[in-house]
Amino acid sequence: MTIQQTLSIIKPDATKRNLIGSIVSKLESSGLKVIAQKKIQLTELQAKQFYKVHKERPFYHDLVKFMVSGPVVVQVLEGENAVIKNRQVMGATNPDEAEEGTIRKEFAESLEANSVHGSDSIENAYQEISFFFSQIELVN
Ligand code: ADP
Ligand code: MG
C-alpha cells in the first residue's frame, strides 16, 4: 500500500472533442483523486521541454506540434499505486493495442492523438508534477 501522486494530461484531441469530463470520470471511477487541475495552452517551448526525453525520436516534432494544437488539462492524481493505476486506466500507447474499457481504447484517435499522458515512474511523476504545479497547488 503506497499512496502516490502522478501527472496526467488530457491532450488536445480530447479537450477539442469535449471529453474532459468523460476522461476524469474514468480516472475517478478507478479510485484516483484529482488533487490539482488546470486547463492551459502549452507553448512550443513548454511542449518541447516536457517531452525532451523523446527529442531524438522521429515522432518528436509532430508530437510537439500536436500538443500545442489546442488546450490541455494538466492534473495531479493521487491514490494507491497512482502511477501504475493511471497507466492501467489509460491503456496502451497505441489505441489499437489498448484493452477494452481503457481511456485510449475508448477515446483515442490515433497513436499520436491518444487523448492522455501519464507519468511512467515515480521519479518522472515527481519531475512532471513540479513542471506544472507548486506544492501549495496540490490539495487533497
Ligand atoms: P506514453 O504516452 O504511453 O507514455 P511514449 O512516452 O512512448 O508513450 O510517447 C509519448 C507520446 O508520443 C505518446 O503518448 C504519443 O502521443 C506519441 N507517440 C509515441 N510513439 C509514437 C509514434 N510511433 N508515432 C507517433 N506518435 C507517437
Ligand atoms: Mg511516456
Side-chain angles (χ1 to χ4, degrees), residues 51 53-54 87 93 117-120 128:
Y51 275 120
V53 290
H54 294 309
R87 297 287 312 193
T93 308
H117 165 84
S119 310
D120 62 4
E128 292 177 3

Side-chain angles (χ1 to χ4, degrees), residues 5-7 33-40 74-78 128-140:
Q5 295 173 350
T6 190
L7 185 85
K33 188 171 190 176
V34 178
I35 62 161
Q37 189 182 53
K38 54 193 172 192
K39 189 179 193 183
I40 57 173
V74 291
Q75 51 193 0
V76 180
L77 307 175
E78 186 175 272
E128 292 177 3
I129 290 168
S130 48
F131 186 86
F132 289 110
F133 295 95
S134 67
Q135 273 302 314
I136 58 163
E137 291 178 289
L138 311 183
V139 181
N140 188 334

